[in-house]
Amino acid sequence: MKLAVVGGGSTYTPELIDGFARLRDTLPVSELVLIDPATERLELIGGLARRIFARQGHPGRVTTTTDLDAGITGADAVLLQLRVGGQAARLQDETWPLECGCVGQETTGAGGLAKALRTVPVVLDIAERVRRTNPDAWIIDFTNPVGIVTRALLQAGHKAVGLCNVAIGLQRKFAALLDLAPADIHLDHVGLNHLTWELGVRRGGPDGEDLLGTLLAAHGDAVAGDLRLPRAVLDRLGVVPSYYLRYFYAHDEVVRELGTKPSRAAEVAAMERELLALYGDPALDEKPALLAKRGGAFYSEAAVDLAASLLGDGGPAVQVVNTHNNGTLPFLPDDAVIEVQARVDGSGPVPLAVPRLDPLFSGLISHVSAYEDLALDAALRGGRERVFKALLAHPLIGQFDLAEGLTDRLLAHNKEHLPWA
C-alpha cells in the first residue's frame, strides 16, 4: 500500500509517522511518500520519519520528493495537510480582523475565509492531478478549513473525505475521565467542522448507554476548563460544545484576550523553529514531547483508522468524518458538508442517523453552512463582492460596515495569493 502526504514537510508530520509506525497492523503501508516544496524541511522530517520507522521495526519505505506528480503516482490514498502562505499568512489571519473588533483565527470568521480563499484553488489543482494520475485514490483532507475544502473537493467529483481531530481528542478526554477505554466511547457528534456539539457520550457504540449526564455531573468543571467556558454553559446547554464554539459563545471576551497576548501563529512559529532543530538531531528516533503542544493531537490515529476503513477489506467502521449531508440534517441541502459519525468502508462514508436538533443548534449550523456556501463561491470565482457577501453572512460579523472593512483588509493582505484581487 502506498500513501502520499502533501505537505509532508509540516512539523505535524512526525505525529502522523508515529501513528503509521505504531498501527502498522491496522494500516500496512509499504511506501510512504512525503511531498513538499520546502526541500530543507522535507529532508529533516524525512530523515526523522525513517528513524521512527526503523526504531519501531516498520518494514515500509519512506521517500521524499518535491515533485507532486511523481509523489502521488500509484498512491492508494493522498493525505492533504498543507498551509498556503505558511505561518506568515496565518499571522495575518489572526491579526487584521482584530483591527475591526472581530476574532482573529485561522479557521473561523474573516481569517478563516482568507484561508479558504487561498487554499481551495490549490487543493483543487492537487486533486485534479491525483485524478489524472490515479483516479481510484482516496483524498483525505486535514487542511483547514476542512468543511469548505472538503465541500470543494466533493463538488468537483473527487473521492474525498474530510478529517478533523476534535472528535477523537474529546473521545480520549472523556474516556480518561470515565475510566474507560477510548474504543468503548461513542460520541453523538453533530454539526459542521469546527462547529460541533456532543449530544451524547455512549458506552460501547451508537446504541449504548448515554453517559453524558454522568460525565457532566462528575467532571463538568474539568470539561468546562478544557473548553475555557463557564461550567454553567454546559449545564444549561445539556451538551458539550467543541472548543471552537467559544468564538461564538464568548466572542467579545476572546477578542479582548487576543489583544493582550502574542498570537497563536507567533507561538507556533517559535515552536516550529525549536521542533525543526530537534528533528535535525540524527539521534532522535521518536516524536519529541514538544510536538504535543503544536496541535493536532491524535490526528495520526484518526488518519490511520480512516485510511484503513477506506482501503481495507474489513467491514465498515464508525468514525467522525466530514462528508455530504445527503438528508442527515434535514434543514441543510444535501450537498452541504457536515461533521458527524459515519459508517466508512471502501465505498466511502455513510452518515449515521441524527436525532432532531434543537433550534439552538440547528439555527447556528444553518447560518454557518450558508456562509460556507458563499465562501466556497468566493474561493472558486473570486471577486470583491463575493468576499463581502460571505463576510456579511458570517454570524460573527453580520454588519455592513464591519464586512466592508474586513473585505478591504482581507484583500490587501492576500494579494500575492489571490490573482484576481
Side-chain angles (χ1 to χ4, degrees):
M1 181 184 299
K2 176 180 177 179
L3 298 186
V5 180
V6 180
S10 167
T11 52
Y12 274 132
T13 301
E15 166 71 25
L16 189 63
I17 299 300
D18 178 73
F20 288 148
R22 286 186 296 103
L23 303 172
R24 55 187 176 273
D25 292 336
T26 302
L27 188 68
V29 177
S30 57
E31 181 180 2
L32 179 64
V33 185
L34 306 181
I35 307 167
D36 204 293
T39 306
E40 186 175 348
R41 288 172 62 117
L42 184 62
E43 289 311 311
L44 280 178
I45 291 166
L48 174 57
R50 295 183 191 99
R51 295 193 298 272
I52 291 174
F53 266 34
R55 173 178 176 148
Q56 300 201 30
H58 194 295
R61 183 165 63 106
V62 177
T63 61
T64 61
T65 183
T66 59
D67 185 333
L68 175 67
D69 293 320
I72 61 179
T73 298
D76 297 286
V78 177
L79 282 71
L80 306 180
Q81 55 171 38
L82 53 103
R83 183 185 296 280
V84 179
Q87 292 298 330
R90 177 179 182 172
L91 178 61
Q92 296 295 331
D93 293 344
E94 295 179 352
T95 302
W96 54 262
L98 294 174
E99 297 171 4
C100 297
C102 294
V103 66
Q105 211 277 333
E106 65 161 346
T107 64
T108 297
L113 176 61
K115 194 171 196 298
L117 296 178
R118 295 192 304 268
T119 304
V120 165
V122 173
V123 166
L124 288 178
D125 176 67
I126 293 169
E128 286 298 331
R129 292 161 75 173
V130 171
R131 180 151 55 190
R132 286 198 300 268
T133 60
N134 190 11
D136 293 327
W138 280 100
I139 296 175
I140 298 174
D141 179 62
F142 193 66
T143 296
N144 282 318
V146 168
I148 296 173
V149 172
T150 303
R151 188 167 180 174
L153 289 165
L154 292 174
Q155 184 171 294
H158 297 290
K159 292 178 61 176
V161 184
L163 180 65
C164 181
N165 69 319
V166 168
I168 192 171
L170 288 173
Q171 180 206 41
R172 300 308 168 90
K173 170 67 68 174
F174 298 164
L177 291 173
L178 294 168
D179 197 24
L180 294 171
D184 291 334
I185 293 291
H186 172 93
L187 302 179
D188 292 342
H189 181 96
V190 180
L192 310 176
N193 180 242
H194 290 185
L195 192 87
T196 52
W197 296 264
E198 310 309 325
L199 307 184
V201 178
R202 299 188 180 277
R203 187 200 302 267
D207 300 318
E209 175 191 5
D210 187 1
L211 303 175
L212 178 58
T214 300
L215 175 73
L216 291 179
H219 306 288
D221 289 342
V223 174
D226 283 345
L227 301 175
R228 300 189 64 202
L229 287 169
R231 164 72 183 271
V233 172
L234 275 63
D235 291 337
R236 294 176 72 177
L237 293 178
V239 302
V240 178
S242 83
Y243 50 84
Y244 285 94
L245 264 299
R246 187 169 185 260
Y247 297 120
F248 293 82
Y249 292 159
H251 176 272
D252 293 352
E253 179 183 346
V254 172
V255 169
R256 288 192 294 270
E257 289 177 2
L258 292 175
T260 62
K261 63 180 184 179
S263 70
R264 175 63 178 165
E267 294 175 354
V268 170
M271 198 180 305
E272 286 198 330
R273 289 191 291 271
E274 189 174 348
L275 283 169
L276 289 170
L278 292 172
Y279 295 167
D281 180 356
L284 183 68
D285 57 4
E286 60 184 347
K287 64 178 183 180
L290 178 62
L291 187 55
K293 299 180 180 180
R294 172 65 180 82
F298 307 114
Y299 159 44
S300 63
E301 295 178 39
V304 167
D305 288 344
L306 178 56
S309 296
L310 293 171
L311 302 175
D313 54 7
V318 175
Q319 293 155 3
V320 172
V321 298
N322 284 259
T323 190
H324 269 154
N325 178 43
N326 285 337
T328 307
L329 302 180
F331 52 87
L332 293 183
D334 284 350
D335 64 349
V337 165
I338 60 175
E339 185 173 292
V340 293
Q341 294 276 10
R343 294 193 184 279
V344 185
D345 60 18
S347 61
V350 176
L352 302 184
V354 172
R356 181 182 179 276
L357 293 183
D358 188 293
L360 181 62
F361 312 124
S362 63
L364 186 53
I365 291 171
S366 297
H367 197 159
V368 175
S369 183
Y371 149 76
E372 290 187 347
D373 188 44
L374 293 167
L376 179 55
D377 186 46
L380 294 174
R381 298 201 288 162
R384 185 187 190 282
E385 191 66 10
R386 293 188 181 93
V387 173
F388 167 78
K389 288 179 178 178
L391 290 169
L392 186 63
H394 199 291
L396 295 182
I397 301 166
Q399 298 180 61
F400 183 87
D401 289 343
L402 273 181
E404 285 281 19
L406 289 166
T407 299
D408 290 339
R409 287 167 172 80
L410 186 156
L411 297 179
H413 286 287
N414 287 275
K415 284 186 179 295
E416 66 179 295
H417 301 293
L418 307 176
W420 48 265

